[in-house]
Amino acid sequence: MARAEPPAASFERRVLRSAAEYHYLRVRLELPDGVTRPTVAQFKQLVVSALRELHGEVGAALPVDVLTYEEKTVSAILRVISSGLVRLWSALTLLGFYQNRRCAFRVLQTSPFLLALAGNSRDLVLD
Amino acid sequence: GTSKRIKVLTRLTLVVSDPSHCNILRSTSANIRLFDIIAVFPKTEKLFHIACTTLDVDLVCINVTEKLPFYFRRPPVNMAIDRGIYFELLYTPAIKDSTMRRYTVSNALSLMQICKGKNIVISSAAERPLELRGPYDVANLGLLFGLSESEAKAAVSTNCRATILHGETRKSACGIVYTVKKPRKVEEEETTLPAFKKAKTQA
């Protein structure tokens, strides 16, 4: 007796590539000891000057927003338009000096979704 | 946790500005075998050609601190890619100085045009811990140099591992001995004398 064939499932797959409008970056500025920590305005100015140094006036005009800033740890969440992510990230990487002292930007997390920055599996402690 | 210890490798970079400087690589001296990775930094076009085609090295360093005195040409670069030699770019000079930033990007772009993004390794020449950058940051710099996303990621991961393996193979192989079966002649099979009774000289 022939078994009835199960009805063929119909589904459709859609792949969205780079559909997010903004990219979010959690960054931290590592400073040597003895340097006064920047205020939020100075931090934004530092980001814009990093963009200007690497990508010129057009790079400095890239719309970057500082969503949160913690002065104690000098860490912030930045928002940038998706097409400008490579430029912003490379400008932050190649920034060498803050007030003539050596510094380093550490990009901790990056994601097209802000909620993804809430949890970081790298902060979990292995026992 | 159960994590492996960090493996520290040794590396030698030879700055060659004269063909006689390469002699140390040709002779299998004991000093060369102490290092895991051998890199060469050619200063002229002729030496770049020699490094890519004949020298036994793992990395060819590309100058990023000044304008290249020679243009890359396709034949030596392709030969280097076939031999498994990688080209190394540095990123720490770009952090320190804005003129070096321009030279880094322009030299990297001219290399990309010729080698199409293959066999690139990006590394830092950091002297202080604050000059180091994370691996994803460096892979992003690769995008700035004209690499595609997968090539940029490979420049910090798979290509580096391949360089280490290339160094290991260079240390291990010195020569090959192989045997070939010699075809036996038909007349020899007809004689019944064993070999030790055969006349050694021809009458």
Side-chain angles (χ1 to χ4, degrees):
Chain A
M1 197 159 98
R3 263 197 303 157
E5 298 275 346
S10 70
F11 58 87
E12 178 190 317
R13 186 170 86 151
R14 275 195 212 171
V15 178
L16 297 171
R17 303 190 64 167
S18 47
E21 240 182 82
Y22 293 106
H23 260 82
Y24 300 88
L25 289 131
R26 183 197 290 275
V27 299
R28 183 168 58 93
L29 178 63
E30 225 178 84
L31 294 166
D33 297 326
V35 181
T36 51
R37 299 193 189 96
T39 63
V40 59
Q42 288 172 328
F43 188 84
K44 173 87 189 282
Q45 214 238 336
L46 182 66
V47 170
V48 171
S49 73
L51 277 165
R52 178 179 290 115
E53 268 187 34
L54 190 60
H55 298 290
E57 293 293 334
V58 175
L62 192 62
V64 173
D65 303 311
V66 178
L67 296 181
T68 61
Y69 178 68
E70 259 179 72
E71 193 162 330
K72 204 159 78 89
T73 53
V74 203
S75 70
I77 297 188
L78 301 174
R79 176 178 79 166
V80 70
I81 226 161
S82 290
S83 51
L85 175 69
V86 175
R87 280 190 276 172
L88 174 67
W89 199 347
S90 52
L92 293 178
T93 303
L94 289 181
L95 181 72
F97 293 94
Y98 170 63
Q99 288 181 352
N100 289 333
R101 299 289 301 271
R102 218 164 263 286
C103 68
F105 255 106
R106 307 276 181 222
V107 174
L108 304 168
Q109 289 167 288
T110 164
S111 165
F113 309 109
L114 188 52
L115 191 56
L117 297 186
N120 190 1
S121 61
R122 291 181 185 184
D123 286 337
L124 299 177
V125 174
L126 290 174
D127 50 332
Chain B
T2 56
S3 57
K4 291 194 250 191
R5 314 195 80 178
I6 296 182
K7 211 165 134 184
V8 179
L9 301 168
T10 48
R11 168 195 158 146
L12 174 70
T13 307
L14 283 168
V15 179
V16 286
S17 44
D18 196 70
S20 61
H21 296 166
C22 309
N23 291 339
I24 193 167
L25 281 171
R26 300 235 179 87
S27 61
T28 51
S29 63
N31 297 332
I32 292 288
R33 297 178 76 80
L34 292 173
F35 295 96
D36 299 310
I37 302 174
I38 307 254
V40 72
F41 190 157
K43 293 278 194 190
T44 63
E45 166 146 33
K46 195 153 177 282
L47 284 164
F48 181 75
H49 191 277
I50 294 174
C52 291
T53 48
T54 50
L55 279 185
D56 198 11
V57 292
D58 306 313
L59 289 173
V60 172
C61 302
I62 304 293
N63 196 1
V64 296
T65 52
E66 51 192 21
K67 187 159 157 37
L68 276 177
F70 55 90
Y71 288 112
F72 295 115
R73 287 186 305 120
R74 216 168 277 260
V77 170
N78 284 342
M79 271 200 75
I81 293 178
D82 289 332
R83 286 178 70 205
I85 295 181
Y86 288 80
F87 297 102
E88 184 189 27
L89 290 168
L90 305 171
Y91 66 81
T92 298
I95 295 177
K96 293 200 244 189
D97 193 36
S98 74
T99 349
M100 311 245 197
R101 227 170 272 183
R102 255 184 288 142
Y103 289 140
T104 309
V105 179
S106 79
N107 291 352
L109 286 174
S110 57
L111 177 64
M112 288 316 144
Q113 267 193 320
I114 305 289
C115 77
K116 312 251 187 316
K118 291 196 273 197
N119 284 39
I120 302 280
V121 166
I122 307 181
S123 65
S124 88
E127 292 156 15
R128 288 179 203 86
L130 272 179
E131 290 170 10
L132 283 177
R133 296 288 183 264
Y136 284 101
D137 299 341
V138 178
N140 199 52
L141 280 183
L143 285 175
L144 206 66
F145 292 160
L147 296 171
S148 77
E149 261 195 50
S150 60
E151 284 164 3
K153 183 109 188 277
V156 282
S157 53
T158 29
N159 290 358
C160 302
R161 185 166 156 72
T163 309
I164 297 172
L165 292 175
H166 190 271
E168 275 189 31
T169 57
R170 188 173 38 74
K171 274 203 286 190
S172 58
C174 292
I176 305 176
V177 172
Y178 65 99
T179 56
V180 167
K181 190 164 176 156
K182 200 168 153 189
R184 290 181 68 188
K185 283 193 237 162
V186 179
E187 304 101 63
E188 279 179 20
E189 288 178 19
E190 288 177 5
T191 56
T192 50
L193 283 175
F196 58 87
K197 282 203 179 153
K198 271 196 242 180
K200 295 284 191 287
T201 55
Q202 291 200 342

